[in-house]
Amino acid sequence: MHTTATVGGVHGHSPPHWLRGVIVLTIILITITTAGAWSLGYRLNLQTASVPIPASTASPETVVRTYVRAFNHRDFNTLAALYPHEQRLYKAERHRVIGTMSDVKIIRSRYDTSYGRQSPYWAIDVELNYTGLRGADIAYQPGPNAWTYYLERSGPRHAWRIADHGAG
């Protein structure tokens, strides 16, 4: 009687030739797909922390600082809550936004009168440093940037929310 001794009692076989070909082909397809997605600006944006939404009594400055923290931690739910007009962007483009905002300085915070005395907006001018910018809004460049956040609220007891932001 012929017996085969194996280490640990398991008789080892290599996978069939066709299975090895399928594995190699799968690895090649994954590599090509990943490289193509990367070149088109798509990223795997994993949330690194949950950023709480500020209370309705929070100042406009607090809302802007929270927005920056949520952006840096890829908390797209908080981003959408703080910038409700851009919810579509955060749902559709969440895999294209990449970069980090740092050294955020609030330069000026004021009631915005550019739309007349009845303007609903509060304006916050900021300066910050943008690093790792890829696949997102091409209006911003890596390095120092300045822009203005415009915030609004639907009533005196309601929370401030970002209505828009643009070049400062």
Side-chain angles (χ1 to χ4, degrees):
M1 174 184 233
H2 178 30
T3 61
T4 304
T6 60
V7 177
V10 177
H11 187 64
H13 290 293
S14 62
H17 182 67
W18 67 268
L19 182 57
R20 282 183 286 186
V22 168
I23 292 170
V24 169
L25 183 61
T26 302
I27 291 170
I28 290 170
L29 288 174
I30 289 171
T31 302
I32 290 170
T33 303
T34 302
W38 184 267
S39 69
L40 293 172
Y42 288 91
R43 308 293 185 264
L44 183 59
N45 279 326
L46 300 177
Q47 183 173 334
T48 59
S50 180
V51 179
I53 298 169
S56 62
T57 57
S59 69
E61 296 85 358
T62 298
V63 171
V64 168
R65 286 186 183 104
T66 302
Y67 176 84
V68 170
R69 274 197 326 275
F71 182 88
N72 289 341
H73 287 293
R74 305 299 183 256
D75 186 342
F76 291 99
N77 292 329
T78 297
L79 288 172
L82 296 177
Y83 203 159
H85 300 296
E86 290 297 323
Q87 283 185 5
R88 171 194 54 80
L89 172 75
Y90 293 121
K91 289 179 181 173
E93 296 288 319
R94 71 184 303 153
H95 298 293
R96 292 182 56 84
V97 177
I98 193 166
T100 304
M101 293 184 245
S102 62
D103 304 321
V104 179
K105 295 178 189 137
I106 294 179
I107 304 303
R108 188 166 63 156
S109 180
R110 70 203 183 283
Y111 180 68
D112 180 53
T113 58
S114 59
Y115 296 99
R117 291 181 160 259
Q118 301 302 318
S119 173
Y121 299 112
W122 191 266
I124 299 179
D125 301 324
V126 301
E127 289 180 355
L128 53 84
N129 208 13
Y130 222 149
T131 56
L133 179 65
R134 287 191 187 91
D137 192 336
I138 60 172
Y140 306 116
Q141 297 297 318
N145 283 268
W147 61 74
T148 302
Y149 286 95
Y150 294 96
L151 289 87
E152 66 182 344
R153 60 182 176 180
S154 56
R157 294 182 186 206
H158 292 92
W160 287 101
R161 294 296 177 244
I162 299 172
D164 196 13
H165 76 278

